[in-house]
Amino acid sequence: MEIRGLIDRGYVHTVIRKRPVDVHKGDCGKVLIVAGSREMAGAAIFASKAAIRCGSGLVKICTNKKIFLSLQTSVPEAICMEWGNTKDDLMQYDCIAIGPGMGVDRRSKNILKMILKDFDKTVVIDADGLNTIAKYDELQQLVRKTEASVIMTPHIGEAKRLLGNANIADLTRIEIASFLRKKYGCMIIVKGANTLVAVSDEDAYTNTTGNPGMATAGSGDVLTGIITSLAGQGLAPEDAAKAGVFVHGLSGDLAADKLGEYGLVASDIADYVPFALKELTE
Ligand SMILES: NC(=O)C1=CN([C@@H]2O[C@H](COP(=O)(O)OP(=O)(O)OC[C@H]3O[C@@H](n4cnc5c(N)ncnc54)[C@H](OP(=O)(O)O)[C@@H]3O)[C@@H](O)[C@H]2O)[C@@H](O)CC1
Ligand SMILES: Nc1ncnc2c1ncn2[C@@H]1O[C@H](COP(=O)(O)OP(=O)(O)O)[C@@H](O)[C@H]1O
Ligand SMILES: [Mg+2]
């Protein structure tokens, strides 16, 4: 695997376009985000707020009923759904995200299994979605076999778990991506300063946006929402992954210009997504 180039503004301009005047919400993607739990409502809020702010026509959140009220207060545009109802026809969605703050248990395993078996568009897997896959061989096989285009978004700690707790401390980002790619055969985003996006066994790209202010709880959940939204709006999985990390970093940069790096929080990144998209489509 080699770094083929940088993810820069010039490239992102070619994949995120100004909206046609006659567009309607049905054209803007219907996405499902499986996220959150009683202890971690925030993760579901950040991901769904980012997805709606990134332009999705409809965002549905599948989560624990106990956090419906917090979600509906923080992101009233999103529709809440209970875990048990995930069987509701998955193919109606243009993209599905799974993982932020959902916990690692049998229920997480079962939902992942269902999505990987029954869905054939883009699936973004983050956080506890990745931790659950790391725990069950059966899911690891399914990631390799699924017809869906899977995008995994690990930070270094999650990457280590996905590689069976191997010692990866001395590996470069590209070596980590390469091992993950060999094991899972899907698109891999290794997060952190200069996030790396590995789109095939040969090709990887480095992001050029983002700042240390983004080292704050929930900023990865925002990234999940952005990539999911872009894939749901019709970007090819590879473009959703690459443009998604760029838009995420640019939103963080615009937020930091205004707020500085210390006080920047995840909700700010989601709130600045519209400004990043405005800049990119003007
Ligand atoms: N408000 C909410 O609801 C929020 C909920 N959230 C949810 O919390 C859940 C747990 O997710 P999490 O990422 O916080 O914990 P976890 O996977 O154990 O990772 C920590 C381990 O990984 C390592 N590590 C991490 N990054 C690294 C790096 N860049 N480079 C190197 N190492 C790195 C780190 O190592 P250390 O720093 O200790 O050396 C440590 O061992 C998950 O469901 C998530 O969605 C969050 O989204 C926050 C907001
Ligand atoms: N120093 C940094 N520079 C640029 N981006 C960063 C930096 N630190 C963290 N980020 C970004 O913030 C996000 C953190 O995601 P993650 O570790 O999953 O956090 P959380 O689980 O709390 O949401 C990633 O997109 C990562 O690239
Ligand atoms: Mg995370």
Side-chain angles (χ1 to χ4, degrees), residues 43 46 100 126-127 153-156 158 173 189-195 207 209-224 245 248-249 253 266 269:
F46 303 140
D126 182 35
T153 62
H155 57 52
I156 303 289
E158 288 152 351
R173 214 172 272 278
I189 297 179
V190 186
K191 295 187 293 193
N194 304 118
T195 289
N207 189 32
T209 53
N211 64 81
M214 298 175 78
T216 180
S219 62
D221 309 328
V222 172
L223 176 68
T224 296
V245 298
H248 179 248
D253 290 343
I269 307 174

Side-chain angles (χ1 to χ4, degrees), residues 7 28 36 86 101 104 115 156 160 167 190 227 244 256-257 267 279:
I7 305 170
C28 299
T86 340
V104 178
I115 292 169
I156 303 289
K160 183 178 158 103
N167 182 4
V190 186
I227 297 172
D257 283 348
S267 323
E279 239 189 67

Side-chain angles (χ1 to χ4, degrees), residues 1-2 140 143-144 148-152 154 159 162-163 173-190 196-204 237-238 241:
M1 186 181 291
E2 275 178 48
Q140 297 173 14
V143 171
R144 290 205 69 88
S149 302
V150 174
I151 302 174
M152 286 184 169
L162 285 167
L163 292 170
R173 214 172 272 278
I174 198 146
E175 286 168 334
I176 294 170
S178 188
F179 280 123
L180 286 170
R181 180 78 211 170
K182 277 203 189 87
K183 182 161 179 183
Y184 295 97
C186 63
M187 237 169 283
I188 306 287
I189 297 179
V190 186
L196 186 86
V197 182
V199 298
S200 70
D201 289 339
E202 292 81 32
D203 305 330
E238 175 179 333

Side-chain angles (χ1 to χ4, degrees), residues 39-217:
E39 298 78 12
M40 296 186 283
I45 291 169
F46 303 140
S48 48
K49 189 190 267 190
I52 199 88
R53 283 292 194 190
C54 194
S56 289
L58 182 76
V59 176
K60 265 203 195 182
I61 313 164
C62 176
T63 194
N64 186 325
K65 197 176 177 179
K66 297 205 164 81
I67 65 165
F68 276 17
L69 188 59
S70 334
L71 272 160
Q72 286 160 340
T73 310
S74 311
V75 198
E77 297 83 359
I79 294 175
C80 296
M81 188 170 90
E82 266 195 280
W83 298 117
N85 296 340
T86 340
K87 273 209 177 306
D88 116 291
D89 184 16
L90 289 181
M91 288 312 288
Q92 68 182 290
Y93 299 107
D94 297 300
C95 180
I96 299 179
I98 178 159
M102 77 185 295
V104 178
D105 55 21
R106 189 153 286 279
R107 188 199 48 211
S108 301
K109 180 193 174 199
N110 290 337
I111 299 178
L112 265 163
K113 200 167 145 183
M114 188 166 64
I115 292 169
L116 292 169
K117 279 189 168 168
D118 296 351
F119 192 66
D120 66 0
K121 296 172 208 160
T122 303
V123 177
V124 182
I125 311 181
D126 182 35
D128 290 337
L130 300 174
N131 296 330
T132 307
I133 287 171
K135 196 170 152 188
Y136 295 103
D137 282 351
E138 186 188 353
L139 292 177
Q140 297 173 14
Q141 304 306 323
L142 270 176
V143 171
R144 290 205 69 88
K145 282 199 316 213
T146 182
E147 286 179 25
S149 302
V150 174
I151 302 174
M152 286 184 169
T153 62
H155 57 52
I156 303 289
E158 288 152 351
K160 183 178 158 103
R161 289 179 202 128
L162 285 167
L163 292 170
N165 286 317
N167 182 4
I168 58 169
D170 296 329
L171 298 186
T172 61
R173 214 172 272 278
I174 198 146
E175 286 168 334
I176 294 170
S178 188
F179 280 123
L180 286 170
R181 180 78 211 170
K182 277 203 189 87
K183 182 161 179 183
Y184 295 97
C186 63
M187 237 169 283
I188 306 287
I189 297 179
V190 186
K191 295 187 293 193
N194 304 118
T195 289
L196 186 86
V197 182
V199 298
S200 70
D201 289 339
E202 292 81 32
D203 305 330
Y205 297 84
T206 305
N207 189 32
T208 54
T209 53
N211 64 81
M214 298 175 78
T216 180

